[in-house]
Structures are given as structure tokens and as C-alpha cells.
Amino acid sequence: MIEDSDDLINEQDDPQETITRITGMYKDWFLDYASYVILERAVPAIEDGFKPVQRRIMHSMKDLDDGRYNKVANIVGHTMQYHPHGDASIADAMVQIGQKDLLIDTQGNWGNILTGDRAAASRYIEARISKFGLDVVFNPKITEWQASYDGRRKEPVNLPVMFPLLLAQGGEGIAVGLSTKILPHNFVELIDASIKHLQGKRFTILPDFPTAGIADFSNYNDGNRGGKVRVRAKISQLNKNTLTITELPFGTTTSSLIDSILKANDKGKIKVKKIEDNTAAEVEILVHLPSGLSPDKTIDALYAFTSCESSISPLGCVIEDNKPLFIGVTEMLRRSTDNTVQLLKQELEIRLGEFEEQWHFASLERIFIENRIYRDIEEEETWEGVISAIDNGLKPHIKHLKRTVTTEDIARLTEIRIKRISKFDIDKAQQKIDALEEQIAEVKHHLEHLIDYAIAYFTRLKKEYGQGRERKTEIRTFDDVDATKVIIRNTKLYVNREEGFIGTSLRRDEYVCDCSDIDDIIVFTKAGKMMVTKVDSKTFIGKDIIHVGIFKKKDKRTIYNMIYKDGSKGPSYIKRFAVTSITRDKDYDLTNGNKGSSLLYFSANPNGEAEVVSINLRQAGSIKKLKWDIDFADIIIKGRASKGNLVTKYSVKRVELKEKGVSTLKPRKIWFDDTVQRLNVDARGELIGEFRGEDKLLIINQSGIIKTVTPEVTMHFDDDMIVMEKWVPKKPISAIYFNGDKDMYYVKRFLIEQEGKEESFISEHPNSQLEIVSTDWKPMAEIVFAKERGKDRKENLEINLEEFIDIKGLSAQGNQLTKEKVNQINLLEPLPYEAPEEVHADDLEVVDEKEVLPESSENKKSKSSIPDSDSKDDLGIDDEGQITLF
């Protein structure tokens, strides 16, 4: 009978009942279990970087090691002598170690970390300890041992690992109440950092992932809790309709990555035509895009909506002295390096003891044989007498020995065979003693200069094992991708102007534009009201809608031009304003707020255009001037709540668009941030220039590809880009290239003929290559000739490229540079030239736009204006002559 959760009554044969209290037992059991999982399963030890199962696997492999491969199934079975769990967990742990390609030399199908394919069954694959593993992990003489779980065998408490193995391999585990996630770091960089630590220098270590990719470690936080690492796939543009993914973000596989892309495509976040996975030894995923889709924008969309970008939260937790310890990677490396120094010291001390013991016995042996002490025992009949005789015979000769002679030493002398005594060579014996003395002196020197010895040890590791272990992950600083700017417009927006509804389900009504399900929509009504709302299937805004568009937060380039009537019989006002920030779903009044106010004219201008309109008044009284023009360029752009400028106090019949306007906004300065390889308008990086709507960027690649593009912050640039500047259409481009067809160097000067087209200006022969290219007005080049055998080297030749060749077509071959053999071609300082002056922007500039920089053909939208007509029905003029509908 259990009275409560803490009391248990045991009924025995004895009629007297006893009550055994187990208060706290469940608590103790849980703590015991939690401690077991933390210490014995999930979290690695800081001393050697191994979890218990990993340590037992390595110990078992050392037991079985004979230089040949062993079946993994055999190693797993052997490990079960030490590990009190099933074979599956051991096999999985061993595969994980093997895939890190550091401690285990593998043979067979061990799976693929790139594709996520599993390893073959353990009976089909083989393994042995790698040369590196044998070098840094094992040394029985300095290993502390303990009994295995069943007491039958001995296993190491910790292996004497003399390398920051935990940081090299990384580690992850989930225990009870805590977890750990230590990211892998670069082999060579860890050694360099250990050497710097020993030299007393500061160091920084950052993760390096086996799947390569690109990573932003700005918030790594030294691997402590609260840090974050952003990792990205490496995506490049193969051609205008194909993207290629060649490196993966850590924690993903080609399968999971492709699945995430397909899901994003199904949800309409991105548009993909087809995906090909050609991954084998290296990653190659081809993403085919529908025609007309921007590759640059799609790359950003892949980062925003798929596993091509992910965040990793490191958590440095290790076991030290049977307790969990939260620690950063810098401190981990310091402790590991200091531990390595102590292990090296123990090794040296053991080796010194062994050498001194060898020297001691070699000296005794020489004394014993050289002085014929062995003859003193011929007449001795007892063992004690033999020992005593040898001891007495040695005493006159042992003053130079470093320790006293023991009975065990004398016993060893008696074991020397007669054959060895008869062939004893005094000179060889002395040479052996001298060699031992040199070794002893060397070991003592290492002990006295332990830090130098440790540095030499790490340097040797780097030299022997560092080749081919260079950094794989590229370190970058990422710009945040604004999802609203890269999402595919996956649905259509409709409007019912008269009833005042907008939404994606109003398919029978007027189509407005394509939009995404995360867009905000800005709406203006005839009554002078404005609202910004989320895209939805159907939303009521207000009757008589006159403009609907996608709202961009902090957009200072979209300017709204408006003329409104203040009240039913009040004066008319004109105003210009931008909408940069709002409260969603709030109804804003853009008029003066009087009852009966309404709009007479409205237009939305994506690049701040200012049109000219004609004001037509009604004939009333003695008004002489019934029509005049107003230029919106004369109106200052103010806030949306401003009253505006007075147009007229008389009744307006209609407002007509007379002339389309040009942008009144100033050119904007564009910078290139080399760190993130992106354009920006926030004064980060190198200033490219001041751009108007029609201005283009000139881009030239080392492969001889040239193009002009409209600058956008979403653009990506090829790794081999060598020229990026503001394009001046009349400025010629000069190039010297090696023509693979002719096996000669050619010079050409040309202008770009087709704006926006990507073209090659060198021959397509595989041996053709661009030597130099210049966008200067008067470029100069220097030719360094090759030295011919038996002749003096010809003097360098300077060439004025402007005089050497006229401007020809982009596809022209050009003129032959020289018939002589060329060793090198250098670009010199250009000749002075006064370029045509460019009108610069004023100090005040627009810097808040984040998507399209200058106006491009894609965002030149037709202005929305209020329709007008002489027809009374069209104007909606009531019997009193008042305009009520446009």
C-alpha cells in the first residue's frame, strides 16, 4: 500500500510492519540519470575532445591496430567490451569520426556529407587509425587508466591527445538540461593559433566547414551561448537563365537544399523551371530559371526563402573534472595547447628516465665486464653470496653513477650471457654510453626550453599533415536580404474602384499589378484618404479608389503629386509629398480635413517626376482668366500632412495633364562595398559616381566579357570582375589581348554599341586571354620583350594606344601589337586629358532607397491621373455644377 508519493510500506511475513521512506529517491534517480547522460554520452571532455563512445572506439582501434584495415563490424564488436550500449550507436559514431577525415583512414562507402547518403553497412566497410591519429592521440605511458564497465578490462580515462582535436572536429550533443554545439575549425589555423598562444601573442579563430560555403562570423561571440553564424551556399550565375550552386552551407545537404528550393517554388516565393543535381565528388546543382527572371534577384530570393542561407547558434559546453563547463573557443584552444605542453613535458620526463636508466645499466655492465667482476662469483655457493660479491666488486667503480646500485641492478648483471661477455667491445660500449649522454642532454634541453619544443612540435604537425587542409569556407560580411524586395510576385492584385475593395480574390474586377503575399499595398481614394494595408483576399478601403500600388517603406523617391478642393465649396490646393512611414491600416486624410473635400488631380511618380498640368475654371462672375498651367516642379516636396499651396479660390472645372515631367530628384551617389561585393547608397566602400535614371554601370571581366547594366543594390558580381565604373558612352575602351587563333598579341579600341548586352571582345579560342584593359581617354602601355638566346634583351617599348589604333567596332580583331616575343605587358599612367565636365549633385542627396537605384525600364510606370472629359456624365457634374466624380 502506498500512502503517498514518498512513502512505501513493505508487508513482510513478520506481522510487524516497517515503513521505509524513499523521500528524494526519485530526485536522486533523475539527477543520476541526467549526470550520466551529460558525462557519459552527450558532451565531450575538454582534455581530449572525445565523447566516451568516441574515446572507446579509438582505444579499440588501437587494440586491433596492426597497420592493416579492419572491418568496421569487427571494430564495433571489439568496442562493445568497453561501451555498455548497442552496436548501432557505436557504428554511427564511428562513421561520424570517419567522415571528418582526420583520425580514421577509411575504405569503402562511408557515406557522403554533401548529398546526405548514408554509409554502407559496417560489415562492408573498413578502417584503420590514420597516421595523424597514431601521432597525436596515443601514448600508453602517459595515459591514465580505469576499469571498464564490467571490470574485465582497462580503458583510458582520457586519451593523451596533443592537438586541439575538439575544435578541429567540432562536436554536438543534446543531454538532459543542456546541450553543446562546437563548430569545426580549420586544421592549419588551429596550429597557427596554438603557436601564437605559446608565443604570447593574441589570436582569433573562426569556424571552417567541410561543406565550404560562405559564412558571416560577425556575431560568432567566440562560440559562446548567444552567438550566431550565418552560412550561405555559394551561388553563381552560369548564364542568364541558369544559376549554379557549388558549395553548401554547413548543416545542409544537396537533398535538403533542393527540397527547400522546391518548397519555396511551390509557395510562390521564387520561380524555378528545373533543378539538376550533378553532385559527385564536388557539389554542382543547376537551377534553371524561367526566361525574363532576374538571376541577381533570384540569388537573393534563394538566400531569403530557402536553406541556401541559415543561421547556426554555437554553444561551447564541455566536461572538465566531471562537471559541465561553458567556455569560448579561444579559451578552449588555450587550455588544449597548455594541456599539450604538459603532455609533451610528461613524455620528455618519461623519455629522460628511460635514457638515464639505460645509461645507468650500460655503465654498470661496462664496469662489471671490464673489471672482470664476474670472476668474483665463481666460488660463491649461495645467491646472497653472489649478490654480495658483485656489490663489493662494483663499489670502487661506481662513484660517477647518478643513483645507487640496487639488488635488481645486480640481478640483471647476473643474467648477462657468457657469449656476450666474451665478445664485449669496450669502445662500442663507450660509444653507446656517449650516445645516451647526448640523448639525455637533448631531452634536458627540451625540458628547459619546453615552450620552444612545443612550438617545434606544432610546426612539425603543420608541415606533415597541413597540406590540403587549407580553409574551405569563405569569410564574408553579409548584407541582410529584404524579403519584400526579392520575393516573386506570386499573385495578382485587383481593385473595385467604385465599391472600394482591393484584394487577390476579385478576379472579375480591374487588375492592378502582380504582388506577393507579404507585400504592403498603398491606396488613395477620391475623398483624399490614404491607407496602407497587407495583401489579403478582399479588403475594404473606401469608395472611389483612384490609385493602388505596392508600398515600399522609407521610399523617398516615389513622389505623389496632388491637387485637391478644400471642402465642398472651398479653394483648391496643390502639394507634393512622399510616404516613407505609416501605421498599417490607419486612415490618413491628405486634405485639410473639411467635409466635402475631394481630389481634382493625382499622380504617383516612382522617380519624383514633376508634370505640367492645365487648370480649367468654371465661368462665373467676372473671372477673366479661365485657364493657366501649373508646373509641379515649382512646388516644394513636403510632408503628407502639409496643407499645400493655393491654386485658386474659384471653382475648378477640370485639371488636364499638359506635359509629362522629368525627375526633380537629384542624382544619387552610389558606392561599392568590396567586403560584401554589393552596391549601396549608404556611403559604404568606394564611391562609383553620381547616377541619374539613364546612367549605367560598365563591367568588364577578366574573361573578356563586357556589359553595361542599370545599377541595383540586388546585383551580384563575378569573381573575375576587373573593371566596374560609371559608363561614359563616348569614352573608348582600350585592350591588349592574346589571340589564341593567331598566337599573337593584338590591340583594339572600341565603344560599346549595344547598351545592356553582354558581349565578349576577345576571340573565343580557349588560349585567348585578356592581358590589359583600360578605360582611360589616353592610355599608355609598356611592352617587356622576351630575351632571345645569344642576344641582348630588347629595350622595353612604350605605346600610346590612342595613336596606335583608331576606334573600331567591338567585334573587330584589332591591330597586331608586335611580331617579337613578349614577356610581359604593363599598363602605365595615362597621358593627361581633360574629360568633359559632369554636372554634380548638390550636397543634399537621397540615400534611403534600398532596391532600384536609378530609374530603370522595369520601374518606369505610367502615371495615374484622374480621367477628365468634356462629357458631363464622365465628369459627374451635378445640377449645381460641382465636380463629384472624376
Side-chain angles (χ1 to χ4, degrees):
M1 173 182 179
I2 299 178
E3 295 182 349
D4 55 48
S5 60
D6 292 326
D7 295 337
L8 176 67
I9 299 177
N10 281 327
E11 294 186 2
Q12 303 175 352
D13 295 337
D14 190 342
Q16 182 181 1
E17 294 182 351
T18 59
I19 299 176
T20 303
R21 299 200 177 272
I22 58 171
T23 302
M25 185 177 288
Y26 294 118
K27 177 181 176 183
D28 293 342
W29 285 349
F30 180 78
L31 285 177
D32 290 343
Y33 171 71
S35 300
Y36 173 76
V37 174
I38 293 170
L39 300 178
E40 295 295 328
R41 297 184 70 172
V43 184
I46 193 172
E47 289 83 3
D48 58 5
F50 286 121
K51 296 179 183 181
V53 63
Q54 296 170 333
R55 187 180 301 114
R56 289 160 181 161
I57 288 170
M58 297 306 299
H59 176 57
S60 294
M61 291 187 72
K62 181 63 176 173
D63 278 350
L64 296 170
D65 184 54
D66 58 2
R68 297 180 296 174
Y69 288 100
N70 282 289
K71 288 283 187 182
V72 169
N74 186 27
I75 299 172
V76 171
H78 193 272
T79 306
M80 291 181 73
Q81 298 177 93
Y82 306 101
H83 194 63
H85 295 285
D87 59 336
S89 62
I90 299 172
D92 289 343
M94 188 170 178
V95 167
Q96 289 179 14
I97 299 173
Q99 287 179 341
K100 291 170 181 175
D101 192 28
L102 196 60
L103 300 180
I104 297 179
D105 185 4
T106 61
Q107 185 166 272
N109 177 16
W110 280 68
N112 191 328
I113 60 171
L114 301 177
T115 62
D117 294 335
R118 292 180 57 84
S122 57
R123 60 185 178 274
Y124 298 124
I125 56 178
E126 298 178 332
R128 64 183 177 190
I129 303 174
S130 68
K131 184 181 177 183
F132 173 76
L134 290 169
D135 197 344
V136 304
V137 174
F138 303 100
N139 190 333
K141 295 176 183 177
I142 57 174
T143 302
E144 182 183 355
W145 302 92
Q146 64 184 359
S148 62
Y149 72 95
D150 60 1
R152 288 188 172 93
R153 301 180 69 88
K154 295 291 184 182
E155 65 173 337
V157 176
N158 288 301
L159 287 168
V161 176
M162 291 184 284
F163 178 78
L165 187 65
L166 178 57
L167 292 173
Q169 293 193 131
E172 185 174 358
I174 300 175
V176 178
L178 62 81
S179 63
T180 184
K181 192 176 184 69
I182 300 165
L183 302 181
H185 293 68
N186 182 261
F187 182 93
V188 176
E189 291 175 6
L190 288 175
I191 292 178
D192 290 340
S194 294
I195 292 173
K196 285 183 178 179
H197 170 59
L198 294 173
Q199 293 172 338
K201 300 177 181 178
R202 298 180 66 180
F203 62 88
T204 302
I205 51 175
L206 296 173
D208 185 28
F209 305 119
T211 55
I214 311 167
D216 183 348
F217 300 111
S218 304
N219 298 318
Y220 183 44
N221 193 29
D222 201 39
N224 282 302
R225 185 186 336 202
K228 185 176 74 170
V229 175
R230 295 170 62 189
V231 288
R232 284 181 175 178
K234 191 168 188 179
I235 310 174
S236 56
Q237 183 179 340
L238 190 63
N239 54 54
K240 64 180 181 180
N241 290 325
T242 308
L243 302 176
T244 177
I245 301 174
T246 52
E247 295 175 9
L248 300 177
F250 183 63
T252 64
T253 63
T254 54
S255 300
S256 63
L257 192 70
I258 291 172
D259 287 345
S260 72
I261 295 174
L262 294 175
K263 287 180 181 177
N265 181 69
D266 293 340
K267 292 179 179 178
K269 306 288 187 184
I270 60 175
K271 285 185 180 178
V272 173
K273 184 178 180 181
K274 183 176 67 171
I275 298 177
E276 289 182 57
D277 187 3
N278 299 328
T279 302
E282 296 180 352
V283 175
E284 184 183 343
I285 301 173
L286 299 180
V287 182
H288 298 276
L289 307 178
S291 59
L293 200 64
S294 166
D296 286 328
K297 194 171 181 180
T298 303
I299 290 174
D300 277 346
L302 287 172
Y303 288 143
F305 302 115
T306 74
S307 298
C308 288
E309 178 179 333
S310 60
S311 293
I312 302 172
S313 297
L315 176 57
C317 179
V318 293
I319 299 300
E320 183 183 53
D321 297 331
N322 285 326
K323 290 182 290 187
L325 172 68
F326 292 92
I327 187 173
V329 295
T330 302
E331 184 62 23
M332 279 187 208
L333 184 85
R334 291 195 186 102
R335 295 195 183 202
S336 172
T337 305
D338 293 342
N339 183 56
T340 298
V341 172
Q342 293 306 311
L343 292 173
L344 289 171
K345 181 181 179 182
Q346 292 179 40
E347 267 193 348
L348 289 171
E349 289 173 343
I350 291 172
R351 197 184 309 167
L352 177 63
E354 291 173 345
F355 286 152
E356 288 181 337
E357 191 65 22
Q358 291 175 29
W359 180 89
H360 178 77
F361 187 74
S363 300
L364 275 182
E365 184 182 58
R366 179 182 173 182
I367 294 169
F368 180 72
I369 298 174
E370 186 178 357
N371 295 286
R372 293 183 171 85
I373 296 173
Y374 53 84
R375 290 183 176 180
D376 298 345
I377 65 174
E378 292 177 353
E379 298 179 0
E380 298 294 334
E381 296 180 355
T382 63
W383 176 251
E384 289 77 8
V386 170
I387 298 296
S388 178
I390 296 174
D391 188 24
N392 292 330
L394 291 173
K395 283 181 180 178
H397 310 286
I398 60 174
K399 293 179 181 178
H400 69 288
L401 297 182
K402 298 176 181 178
R403 69 171 176 84
T404 58
V405 179
T406 63
T407 303
E408 288 77 12
D409 294 334
I410 298 173
R412 284 185 65 189
L413 292 174
T414 63
E415 296 172 358
I416 300 175
R417 296 183 179 184
I418 297 298
K419 183 177 181 181
R420 184 174 174 187
I421 294 174
S422 64
K423 292 186 176 182
F424 184 75
D425 188 327
I426 294 177
D427 292 335
K428 287 185 177 180
Q430 187 58 45
Q431 289 175 5
K432 180 181 178 181
I433 292 172
D434 291 343
L436 285 170
E437 287 177 346
E438 289 178 2
Q439 290 174 314
I440 290 171
E442 182 183 14
V443 173
K444 286 183 175 179
H445 178 270
H446 290 331
L447 283 169
E448 290 171 359
H449 302 84
L450 189 58
I451 299 302
D452 293 336
Y453 178 73
I455 291 173
Y457 169 80
F458 279 113
T459 304
R460 178 184 68 80
L461 290 183
K462 180 179 177 180
K463 182 179 179 181
E464 291 187 14
Y465 307 109
Q467 188 173 1
R469 299 187 183 274
E470 294 78 14
R471 169 166 283 276
K472 294 182 177 180
T473 302
E474 182 182 350
I475 300 173
R476 285 251 197 104
T477 302
F478 297 160
D479 270 349
D480 291 329
V481 177
D482 189 342
T484 61
K485 295 175 181 176
V486 298
I487 191 169
I488 298 297
R489 307 302 182 194
N490 56 357
T491 186
K492 297 183 184 299
L493 181 68
Y494 301 91
V495 60
N496 184 321
R497 296 182 183 272
E498 185 177 352
E499 297 297 327
F501 288 96
I502 64 166
T504 57
S505 63
L506 309 176
R507 293 182 176 84
R508 295 184 180 181
D509 294 307
E510 179 187 342
Y511 165 75
V512 177
C513 63
D514 288 347
C515 65
S516 71
D517 50 11
I518 63 173
D519 278 334
D520 285 319
I521 305 300
I522 188 168
V523 187
F524 296 84
T525 67
K526 173 246 177 183
K529 301 295 179 65
M530 179 194 79
M531 180 185 290
V532 175
T533 186
K534 247 338 188 186
V535 168
D536 205 345
S537 58
K538 186 176 181 180
T539 304
F540 178 74
I541 302 296
K543 293 189 176 183
D544 299 326
I545 293 174
I546 60 172
H547 175 76
V548 181
I550 295 174
F551 175 70
K552 299 171 187 175
K553 192 176 180 182
K554 297 182 180 179
D555 179 12
K556 289 187 177 180
R557 294 216 51 105
T558 300
I559 303 299
Y560 300 99
N561 298 339
M562 185 176 100
I563 299 175
Y564 72 94
K565 182 177 62 174
D566 184 20
S568 57
K569 296 183 179 180
S572 300
Y573 292 91
I574 184 172
K575 61 191 289 188
R576 302 184 75 203
F577 60 93
V579 181
T580 56
S581 61
I582 47 83
T583 300
R584 190 180 286 125
D585 296 325
K586 180 180 177 181
D587 201 8
Y588 291 90
D589 194 341
L590 304 175
T591 70
N592 211 23
N594 294 316
K595 186 177 180 181
S597 297
S598 61
L599 300 189
L600 301 172
Y601 179 88
F602 181 88
S603 67
N605 306 278
N607 203 35
E609 292 86 353
E611 61 269 32
V612 178
V613 296
S614 296
I615 306 296
N616 294 272
L617 300 183
R618 296 182 184 280
Q619 181 67 51
S622 60
I623 300 176
K624 295 181 180 179
K625 190 175 182 180
L626 297 176
K627 183 176 181 180
W628 71 94
D629 297 338
I630 292 180
D631 190 346
F632 274 98
D634 298 331
I635 307 302
I636 298 174
I637 299 173
K638 297 182 179 180
R640 64 169 180 266
S642 66
K643 182 177 181 180
N645 297 353
L646 179 67
V647 177
T648 179
K649 61 181 180 180
Y650 298 109
S651 177
V652 177
K653 181 180 179 182
R654 64 177 177 270
V655 179
E656 298 173 331
L657 175 64
K658 181 177 181 181
E659 182 182 325
K660 289 185 178 181
V662 295
S663 176
T664 57
L665 302 181
K666 297 172 177 59
R668 38 189 131 180
K669 294 180 179 178
I670 299 177
W671 286 262
F672 178 71
D673 189 342
D674 187 61
T675 306
V676 297
Q677 294 282 299
R678 290 295 185 91
L679 298 175
N680 68 89
V681 291
D682 303 322
R684 290 183 285 106
E686 178 186 356
L687 179 64
I688 303 299
E690 298 175 350
F691 286 74
R692 294 174 176 81
E694 68 279 359
D695 289 335
K696 304 287 183 183
L697 266 180
L698 171 67
I699 297 175
I700 305 176
N701 294 342
Q702 184 63 54
S703 56
I705 300 296
I706 190 167
K707 59 183 175 182
T708 58
V709 295
T710 299
E712 301 178 10
V713 295
T714 57
M715 290 181 63
H716 292 259
F717 299 94
D718 297 327
D719 293 335
D720 67 339
M721 179 182 68
I722 55 176
V723 173
M724 181 187 64
E725 62 182 44
K726 184 179 178 181
W727 179 46
V728 180
K730 294 183 179 180
K731 186 164 70 168
I733 296 154
S734 307
I736 299 178
Y737 72 100
F738 181 78
N739 190 321
D741 294 315
K742 307 289 186 180
D743 202 26
M744 290 182 178
Y745 287 94
Y746 281 81
V747 183
K748 62 189 298 183
R749 299 183 77 225
F750 58 90
L751 296 173
I752 293 180
E753 300 161 354
Q754 298 188 54
E755 203 176 301
K757 184 178 180 182
E758 185 177 283
E759 298 179 276
S760 175
F761 59 90
I762 65 174
S763 68
E764 296 181 357
H765 193 278
N767 292 335
S768 295
Q769 64 180 43
L770 179 62
E771 195 67 28
I772 62 170
V773 64
S774 172
T775 57
D776 295 312
W777 290 93
K778 292 179 175 290
M780 294 289 294
E782 177 189 48
I783 304 174
V784 180
F785 295 99
K787 186 180 183 303
E788 297 185 34
R789 185 178 297 178
K791 296 182 181 179
D792 293 335
R793 186 190 299 273
K794 192 175 179 180
E795 289 187 5
N796 296 350
L797 177 64
E798 292 188 2
I799 295 178
N800 183 335
L801 298 184
E802 182 191 29
E803 296 177 352
F804 190 85
I805 185 173
D806 293 332
I807 297 173
K808 299 182 180 180
L810 183 144
S811 58
Q813 178 176 267
N815 291 355
Q816 183 179 321
L817 177 65
T818 178
K819 293 182 179 180
E820 305 289 337
K821 288 188 176 180
V822 175
N823 184 39
Q824 188 176 340
I825 301 174
N826 302 318
L827 194 62
L828 303 178
E829 285 293 323
L831 297 176
Y833 177 80
E834 286 192 18
E837 289 190 9
E838 182 181 356
V839 180
H840 293 281
D842 297 333
D843 291 338
L844 181 63
E845 60 195 65
V846 179
V847 296
D848 289 307
E849 49 278 9
K850 301 293 183 185
E851 188 174 17
V852 179
L853 297 176
E855 182 184 6
S856 65
S857 58
E858 294 179 356
N859 66 351
K860 286 182 180 176
K861 300 177 183 177
S862 60
K863 300 176 180 62
S864 172
S865 60
I866 299 170
D868 52 77
S869 170
D870 290 333
S871 165
K872 186 174 180 179
D873 294 334
D874 290 339
L875 290 173
I877 301 175
D878 59 21
D879 294 336
E880 297 180 356
Q882 189 68 40
I883 300 177
T884 58
L885 181 64
F886 300 94

